[in-house]
């Protein structure tokens, strides 16, 4: 193959530049095909034009004359072994190959490929756009393989689309799809193997292809882009001037760059998927948002409906639910939808304040009322005047304060600690508890009269584990929020994380989910949060019981529930459940329970307690 040979200062062996293009540039600029810095040359000093038969060397208009075999010329046809003087550099023109050290030649090709790979890796680190990176990749591939055009083709659905196309001048090719051989592309797509076509017009497999004939293709080479066994597309290069241009080392180089292109395309597809997922999430959140509360399950929709009904009134509401289910958010939403929305919303956690200070926190105190009372101070009741007072964890309130709270709620007057004057307050009281207050009443720890005062309407919030797909939507919303807050690269969840969140019991509910996600987002070094990042392990999941045991457990719980509703009346419970009374007796014996009735009672005895 025709070539230029240049011995650079400090180099151990000459540099060989094959002449396979129509125009080969020479000069000081790095973009030149033969770049010779520091030799006193113009950026682009000269070029060699190949018309299919002859190689003609020409100096550019503003460049100094060049010498061929010691004669100054502006233009000259080159012959084998001509010596070209470019400034301080001498270049030899070879019309045909001479015996060379093939091992050293191959090693030099590999080193050049590695150098290009390093340059491309640096471009990746610069976080350029996908289109710019693909253009850079094609430019490097074209130069390394000596092609005159290159294209990156992606499979979208059942169609092929040219994502990027470049020529020797590092310009984008318009209408690139018309310059690709359909038959060669189809062969790579079908076989998923790289291919070299040395002389397409005379190749037995492709010479009758209309695309090969119309394009007058000579040398073509293509390599598939794959990821996890899936075909994404292919990298395609060609030269329409020379046959037998590509060899196995060139195909190896193309395959390496095809691997890089696969990673780029795969990452781009992942980002597009995450972007679409975020759009879907925003649409989903819009349909499940109720103020600051998120929920789409039936239980939460029922809660939302009741909030809208009670909010316009001044009726007392008790919000029940496990710790971390969002009771304060519900209270704030009731306040926001109420006529008191412009007034204050004041919160007090009855379980977080020492008992000896709680009365002062609620009702205030006057100066000197107790040691440390250096000034008169208003309490939460006065602070909430004209608005809403939220008593969180009211079940923690000591009994002696329950009496004073009841009076304040009934009469809407309070008295500061150490004072004798009563003050009127205009407030609405909302309460919350994670305790079973009815059980607390039976155990003597909560006043029944206070319970009925605060529990005119009850809102029960379901635990997170019973909210179905709500957990995934809430987790995605929190991930987006925390990733932005902490500047994390985390953008989504792995399949294992999504499955783990659905299976986990979540004893701390949404508060626990928030804490685990914050930790995962801060420590994450990948785009997808895994189950391990959230400290969700298989041993944390509730065990799967054999079906027979699950049925027995459910039956026992359900019988106990119906017994409780019937005040322990076994006969009525058996009748409601449609079973023989002896089934209920055996159940109670198994549970070790003592019944209120004698086992000899007759079914249908309407005089029994709880009878209809």
């Amino acid at each position: 193959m025709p070539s230029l040979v240049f011995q650079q200062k400090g180099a151990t062996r000459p540099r060989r530049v094959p002449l396979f293009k129509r125009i080969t540039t020479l000069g000081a600029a790095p973009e030149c095909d033969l770049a010779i810095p520091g030799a006193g040359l113009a950026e682009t000093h000269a070029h060699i034009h190949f018309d299919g038969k002859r190689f003609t060397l020409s100096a550019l208009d503003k460049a100094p004359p060049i010498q061929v075999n010691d004669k100054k010329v502006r233009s000259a046809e080159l012959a084998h072994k001509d010596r070209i003087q470019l400034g301080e550099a001498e270049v030899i023109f070879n019309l045909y190959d001479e015996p060379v050290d093939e091992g050293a030649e191959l090693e030099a090709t590999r080193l050049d490929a590695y150098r290009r790979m390093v340059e491309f890796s640096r471009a990746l680190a610069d976080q350029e756009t996908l289109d710019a990176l693909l253009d850079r990749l094609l430019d490097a591939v074209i130069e390394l393989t000596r092609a005159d055009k290159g294209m990156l083709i992606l499979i979208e659905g059942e169609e092929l689309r040219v994502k990027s196309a470049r020529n020797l001048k590092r310009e984008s090719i318009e209408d690139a799809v018309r310059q690709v051989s359909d038959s060669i592309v189809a062969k790579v797509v079908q076989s998923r193997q790289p291919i070299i076509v040395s002389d397409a017009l005379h190749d037995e497999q492709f010479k009758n292809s209309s695309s090969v004939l119309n394009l007058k293709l000579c040398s073509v080479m293509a390599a598939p882009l794959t990821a996890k066994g899936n075909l994404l597309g292919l990298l395609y290069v060609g030269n329409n001037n020379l046959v037998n241009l590509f060899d196995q080392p060139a195909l190896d180089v193309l395959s390496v760059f095809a691997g890089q292109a696969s990673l780029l395309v795969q990452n781009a597809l992942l980002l597009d998927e995450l972007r679409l997922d975020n759009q879907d999430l925003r649409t989903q959140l819009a349909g499940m948002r109720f103020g600051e509360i998120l929920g789409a399950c039936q239980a939460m929709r029922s809660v939302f409906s009741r909030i809208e009904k009670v909010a316009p009134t001044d009726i007392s509401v008790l919000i029940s639910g496990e710790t971390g289910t969002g009771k304060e958010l519900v209270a704030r939403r009731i306040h926001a939808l109420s006529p008191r929305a412009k007034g204050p919303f004041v919160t007090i956690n009855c379980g977080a304040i020492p008992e000896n200070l709680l009365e002062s926190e609620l009702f205030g105190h006057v100066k000197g009322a107790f040691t440390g009372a250096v000034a008169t101070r208003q309490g939460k009741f006065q602070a909430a005047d004209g608005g809403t007072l939220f008593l969180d964890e009211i079940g923690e309130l000591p009994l002696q304060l329950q009496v004073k709270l009841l009076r304040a709620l009934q009469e809407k007057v309070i008295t500061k600690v150490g004072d004798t004057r009563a003050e009127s307050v205009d407030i609405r009281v909302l309460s919350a508890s994670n305790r079973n207050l009815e059980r607390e009443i039976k155990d003597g720890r909560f006043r029944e009269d206070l319970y009925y005062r605060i529990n005119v309407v009850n809102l029960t919030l379901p635990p997170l584990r019973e909210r179905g797909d709500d957990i995934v939507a809430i987790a995605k919303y929190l991930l987006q929020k925390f990733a932005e807050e902490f500047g994390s690269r985390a953008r989504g969840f792995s399949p294992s994380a999504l499955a783990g969140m659905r299976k986990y019991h979540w004893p701390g509910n949404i508060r626990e989910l928030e804490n685990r996600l914050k930790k995962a987002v801060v420590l994450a070094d990948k785009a997808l949060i895994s189950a391990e990042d959230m400290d969700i392990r298989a041993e944390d999941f509730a065990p799967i019981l054999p079906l027979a045991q699950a049925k027995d457990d459910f039956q026992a719980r359900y019988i106990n529930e119906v017994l409780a509703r019937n005040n322990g009346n076994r006969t009525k419970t058996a009748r409601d459940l449609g079973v023989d009374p002896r089934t209920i007796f055996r159940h109670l014996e198994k549970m070790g329970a003592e019944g209120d009735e004698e086992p000899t009672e007759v079914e249908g005895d309407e005089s029994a307690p709880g009878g209809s």
Side-chain angles (χ1 to χ4, degrees), residues 114-289:
Y114 292 150
R115 178 176 62 83
R116 293 291 181 182
M117 287 298 297
V118 170
E119 291 176 359
F120 188 69
S121 297
R122 287 173 181 162
L124 283 175
D126 291 338
Q127 297 182 340
E128 295 184 20
T129 64
L130 176 65
D131 290 344
L133 285 171
L134 292 179
D135 287 348
R136 278 205 183 204
L137 182 142
L138 282 177
D139 289 342
V141 168
I142 289 169
E143 184 168 351
L144 281 169
T145 60
R146 297 171 293 180
D148 59 15
K149 62 176 176 290
M151 298 164 201
L152 189 137
I153 303 168
L154 294 184
I155 298 175
E156 295 185 350
E158 297 183 357
E159 296 183 358
L160 295 173
R161 188 169 71 85
V162 177
K163 180 67 176 177
S164 180
R166 304 283 281 179
N167 61 21
L168 275 172
K169 298 179 181 179
R170 303 192 175 192
E171 300 169 336
S172 294
I173 301 175
E174 299 296 332
D175 200 20
V177 70
R178 295 182 179 274
Q179 302 188 34
V180 177
S181 168
D182 296 338
S183 55
I184 295 175
V185 169
K187 176 67 175 178
V188 176
V189 170
Q190 182 181 6
S191 67
R192 299 194 178 191
Q193 296 294 323
I195 187 174
I196 294 177
V197 182
S198 298
D199 186 356
L201 287 171
H202 299 91
D203 189 282
E204 288 297 324
Q205 188 173 0
F206 300 109
K207 66 181 182 180
N208 295 323
S209 167
S210 58
S211 59
V212 169
L213 292 170
N214 293 335
L215 295 171
K216 298 180 181 179
L217 299 178
C218 291
S219 298
V220 177
M221 185 166 55
L225 309 181
T226 58
K228 297 180 180 180
N230 297 319
L231 184 67
L232 303 177
L234 64 149
L235 202 55
Y236 177 105
V237 295
N239 189 299
N240 294 346
N241 300 315
L242 300 173
V243 298
N244 300 312
L245 175 63
F246 303 128
D247 52 15
Q248 187 59 45
L251 187 61
D252 292 341
V253 168
L254 186 71
S255 298
V256 170
F257 275 90
Q260 285 281 350
S262 297
L263 290 175
L264 282 173
V265 172
Q266 188 179 12
N267 287 338
L269 292 174
L270 176 61
L271 288 174
D272 284 343
E273 184 179 339
L274 289 174
R275 194 175 297 113
L276 290 173
D277 194 37
N278 285 336
Q279 290 175 355
D280 291 343
L281 176 61
R282 284 192 289 271
T283 303
Q284 184 180 3
L285 290 177
M288 66 185 297
R289 186 184 292 277

Side-chain angles (χ1 to χ4, degrees), residues 242-486:
L242 300 173
V243 298
N244 300 312
L245 175 63
F246 303 128
D247 52 15
Q248 187 59 45
L251 187 61
D252 292 341
V253 168
L254 186 71
S255 298
V256 170
F257 275 90
Q260 285 281 350
S262 297
L263 290 175
L264 282 173
V265 172
Q266 188 179 12
N267 287 338
L269 292 174
L270 176 61
L271 288 174
D272 284 343
E273 184 179 339
L274 289 174
R275 194 175 297 113
L276 290 173
D277 194 37
N278 285 336
Q279 290 175 355
D280 291 343
L281 176 61
R282 284 192 289 271
T283 303
Q284 184 180 3
L285 290 177
M288 66 185 297
R289 186 184 292 277
F290 188 69
E292 294 298 314
I293 313 169
L294 297 177
C297 67
Q298 186 56 46
M300 289 304 296
R301 290 192 179 278
S302 177
V303 170
F304 298 159
S305 176
R306 302 194 81 187
I307 289 174
E308 289 178 329
K309 291 176 181 177
V310 302
T313 73
D314 256 359
I315 202 168
S316 296
V317 179
L318 175 63
I319 307 165
S320 305
E322 296 179 7
T323 298
T325 50
K327 295 186 288 294
E328 184 174 341
L329 286 179
V330 169
R332 289 184 179 276
R333 186 60 178 165
I334 293 173
H335 172 73
L337 295 177
S338 75
R340 297 176 177 270
K342 294 183 179 179
F345 178 85
V346 179
T347 300
I348 181 168
N349 189 322
C350 300
I353 300 172
E355 184 176 341
N356 60 330
L357 297 178
L358 189 52
E359 183 178 1
S360 171
E361 284 292 320
L362 283 171
F363 307 121
H365 62 258
V366 296
K367 181 178 179 182
F370 51 83
T371 303
V374 296
T376 298
R377 181 173 177 270
Q378 72 173 10
K380 300 295 186 182
F381 268 77
Q382 296 99 318
D385 191 34
T388 302
L389 176 64
F390 176 51
L391 301 174
D392 198 8
E393 302 305 342
I394 195 171
E396 307 281 347
L397 200 66
L399 278 170
Q400 63 270 24
L401 274 180
Q402 292 180 27
V403 177
K404 296 183 178 182
L405 176 60
L406 178 61
R407 177 176 176 268
L409 295 180
Q410 287 176 334
E411 302 176 10
K412 293 195 175 180
V413 294
I414 57 96
T415 303
K416 291 187 178 74
V417 177
D419 200 358
T420 57
R421 293 179 298 108
E423 299 178 41
S424 297
V425 288
D426 174 24
I427 62 172
R428 179 187 192 171
V429 174
L430 304 175
S431 309
S433 178
N434 63 359
R435 293 187 178 188
N436 186 328
L437 294 185
E438 292 181 351
R439 188 178 303 143
E440 294 291 300
I441 292 171
K442 290 180 180 179
D443 294 340
R445 290 191 293 268
F446 200 82
R447 293 181 61 91
E448 188 173 13
D449 49 4
L450 177 60
Y451 174 72
Y452 289 117
R453 173 62 63 176
I454 63 173
N455 187 30
V456 179
V457 172
N458 183 270
L459 294 178
T460 301
L461 303 185
L464 189 58
R465 60 185 169 275
E466 296 179 4
R467 292 179 57 179
D469 286 338
D470 277 8
I471 184 172
V472 174
I474 293 171
K476 289 180 177 179
Y477 166 75
L478 292 174
L479 174 63
Q480 198 174 60
K481 173 185 173 183
F482 294 150
E484 183 177 346
E485 180 180 347
F486 299 115

Side-chain angles (χ1 to χ4, degrees), residues 585-600:
F585 300 154
R586 285 194 295 269
H587 164 73
L588 291 172
E589 288 175 359
K590 185 177 179 181
M591 300 293 293
E594 292 292 335
D596 295 328
E597 308 170 42
E598 295 300 323
T600 56

